[in-house]
Amino acid sequence: MGAQCLGAICGCGLVKAFQNSYYNQYGGGANSLAEGYSTGTGLAAEIIGTFVLVYTVFSATDPKRNARDSHIPVLAPLPIGFAVFMVHLATIPITGTGINPARSLGAAVIFNQDKIWDDHGCSGYSG
Protein backbone atom coordinates (compact mmCIF):
# COMPACT_ATOMS: atom_id res chain seq x y z
CA MET A 1 0.00 0.00 0.00
CA GLY A 2 2.82 2.34 0.82
CA ALA A 3 4.50 1.75 -2.52
CA GLN A 4 1.24 2.39 -4.38
CA CYS A 5 0.71 5.66 -2.47
CA LEU A 6 4.30 6.74 -3.08
CA GLY A 7 3.97 5.84 -6.77
CA ALA A 8 0.79 7.93 -7.03
CA ILE A 9 2.49 10.92 -5.43
CA CYS A 10 5.51 10.59 -7.73
CA GLY A 11 3.30 10.13 -10.79
CA CYS A 12 1.29 13.26 -10.01
CA GLY A 13 4.51 15.14 -9.39
CA LEU A 14 5.79 14.13 -12.83
CA VAL A 15 2.55 15.21 -14.50
CA LYS A 16 2.79 18.58 -12.72
CA ALA A 17 6.43 18.96 -13.76
CA PHE A 18 5.92 18.12 -17.44
CA GLN A 19 2.35 19.32 -18.12
CA ASN A 20 1.91 22.19 -15.66
CA SER A 21 -0.64 24.15 -17.71
CA TYR A 22 -2.95 21.13 -18.14
CA TYR A 23 -2.31 20.11 -14.55
CA ASN A 24 -3.53 23.47 -13.25
CA GLN A 25 -6.38 23.68 -15.78
CA TYR A 26 -7.84 20.36 -14.58
CA GLY A 27 -7.27 20.87 -10.86
CA GLY A 28 -4.37 18.49 -10.64
CA GLY A 29 -6.66 15.52 -11.13
CA ALA A 30 -7.64 15.79 -7.48
CA ASN A 31 -11.03 14.52 -6.42
CA SER A 32 -13.45 16.85 -4.66
CA LEU A 33 -17.10 16.76 -3.74
CA ALA A 34 -19.60 18.41 -6.02
CA GLU A 35 -21.78 21.11 -4.52
CA GLY A 36 -24.75 19.77 -2.59
CA TYR A 37 -23.18 16.48 -1.48
CA SER A 38 -22.01 15.74 2.05
CA THR A 39 -18.71 14.10 2.94
CA GLY A 40 -20.66 11.01 4.02
CA THR A 41 -22.37 10.76 0.64
CA GLY A 42 -19.02 11.06 -1.14
CA LEU A 43 -17.46 8.46 1.13
CA ALA A 44 -20.36 6.05 0.57
CA ALA A 45 -20.18 6.55 -3.22
CA GLU A 46 -16.43 5.83 -3.23
CA ILE A 47 -16.77 2.78 -0.96
CA ILE A 48 -19.52 1.29 -3.12
CA GLY A 49 -17.66 2.09 -6.34
CA THR A 50 -14.44 0.56 -5.04
CA PHE A 51 -16.33 -2.52 -3.85
CA VAL A 52 -17.95 -2.99 -7.25
CA LEU A 53 -14.58 -2.76 -8.99
CA VAL A 54 -12.73 -5.08 -6.58
CA TYR A 55 -15.57 -7.62 -6.57
CA THR A 56 -15.64 -7.64 -10.36
CA VAL A 57 -11.86 -8.08 -10.61
CA PHE A 58 -11.89 -10.96 -8.13
CA SER A 59 -14.87 -12.59 -9.85
CA ALA A 60 -13.45 -12.24 -13.35
CA THR A 61 -10.00 -13.55 -12.39
CA ASP A 62 -11.05 -16.39 -10.04
CA PRO A 63 -9.00 -19.46 -11.02
CA LYS A 64 -11.82 -21.81 -10.03
CA ARG A 65 -14.13 -20.04 -12.44
CA ASN A 66 -11.60 -20.31 -15.28
CA ALA A 67 -11.56 -24.08 -14.90
CA ARG A 68 -15.34 -24.20 -15.10
CA ASP A 69 -15.72 -21.65 -17.91
CA SER A 70 -12.54 -22.44 -19.83
CA HIS A 71 -14.01 -21.44 -23.18
CA ILE A 72 -13.95 -17.68 -22.33
CA PRO A 73 -10.98 -16.91 -20.03
CA VAL A 74 -9.65 -14.24 -22.37
CA LEU A 75 -12.77 -12.14 -21.80
CA ALA A 76 -11.93 -11.26 -18.16
CA PRO A 77 -10.98 -7.65 -19.06
CA LEU A 78 -14.43 -7.05 -20.51
CA PRO A 79 -16.42 -7.16 -17.23
CA ILE A 80 -13.64 -5.28 -15.44
CA GLY A 81 -13.73 -2.47 -17.99
CA PHE A 82 -17.52 -2.42 -17.90
CA ALA A 83 -17.44 -2.15 -14.09
CA VAL A 84 -15.01 0.78 -14.26
CA PHE A 85 -17.24 2.45 -16.86
CA MET A 86 -20.40 2.01 -14.77
CA VAL A 87 -18.74 3.22 -11.56
CA HIS A 88 -17.49 6.31 -13.39
CA LEU A 89 -20.97 7.04 -14.72
CA ALA A 90 -22.37 6.83 -11.20
CA THR A 91 -19.71 8.69 -9.21
CA ILE A 92 -18.20 11.35 -11.49
CA PRO A 93 -21.06 13.74 -10.66
CA ILE A 94 -20.49 13.21 -6.92
CA THR A 95 -16.74 12.93 -6.30
CA GLY A 96 -15.00 12.89 -9.64
CA THR A 97 -14.47 9.12 -9.16
CA GLY A 98 -11.46 8.09 -7.15
CA ILE A 99 -12.13 4.32 -6.75
CA ASN A 100 -8.40 3.97 -6.01
CA PRO A 101 -7.51 5.58 -2.68
CA ALA A 102 -3.81 5.77 -3.58
CA ARG A 103 -4.55 7.69 -6.79
CA SER A 104 -6.79 10.10 -4.92
CA LEU A 105 -4.14 10.60 -2.22
CA GLY A 106 -1.35 11.25 -4.74
CA ALA A 107 -3.34 13.94 -6.53
CA ALA A 108 -4.39 15.55 -3.24
CA VAL A 109 -0.83 15.65 -1.90
CA ILE A 110 0.62 17.29 -5.02
CA PHE A 111 -2.30 19.67 -5.71
CA ASN A 112 -2.47 20.59 -1.99
CA GLN A 113 -5.55 22.82 -1.80
CA ASP A 114 -7.72 23.27 1.31
CA LYS A 115 -10.97 22.20 -0.39
CA ILE A 116 -9.40 18.94 -1.55
CA TRP A 117 -8.21 18.12 1.96
CA ASP A 118 -11.57 19.13 3.45
CA ASP A 119 -13.34 16.80 1.02
CA HIS A 120 -10.96 14.00 2.01
CA GLY A 121 -12.04 14.49 5.63
CA CYS A 122 -8.84 16.26 6.69
CA SER A 123 -10.33 19.60 7.71
CA GLY A 124 -7.58 20.15 10.28
CA TYR A 125 -4.82 19.84 7.69
CA SER A 126 -2.88 23.04 6.99
CA GLY A 127 -1.13 22.59 3.66
Side-chain angles (χ1 to χ4, degrees), residues 53 56-58 60-61 75-85:
L53 176 60
T56 304
V57 169
F58 284 157
T61 61
L75 296 179
L78 190 62
I80 295 169
F82 186 70
V84 169
F85 174 70

Side-chain angles (χ1 to χ4, degrees), residues 3-121:
Q4 189 177 15
C5 290
L6 185 60
I9 292 168
C10 292
C12 288
L14 286 172
V15 169
K16 184 176 182 178
F18 291 110
Q19 295 288 330
N20 197 32
S21 62
Y22 289 119
Y23 177 85
N24 291 325
Q25 180 181 351
Y26 294 110
N31 298 94
S32 62
L33 284 171
E35 294 297 322
Y37 291 100
S38 69
T39 304
T41 302
L43 179 63
E46 288 295 326
I47 288 172
I48 292 168
T50 301
F51 172 78
V52 167
L53 176 60
V54 170
Y55 183 81
T56 304
V57 169
F58 284 157
S59 296
T61 61
D62 182 11
K64 292 178 185 173
R65 181 181 174 151
N66 282 343
R68 192 177 64 235
D69 302 329
S70 61
H71 59 286
I72 54 168
V74 296
L75 296 179
L78 190 62
I80 295 169
F82 186 70
V84 169
F85 174 70
M86 294 306 293
V87 168
H88 275 78
L89 285 180
T91 59
I92 281 176
I94 302 169
T95 63
T97 306
I99 66 173
N100 180 343
R103 194 219 61 84
S104 296
L105 176 70
V109 166
I110 299 298
F111 194 58
N112 200 21
Q113 299 289 320
D114 288 339
K115 180 174 179 358
I116 303 303
W117 288 115
D118 290 346
D119 289 348
H120 277 89

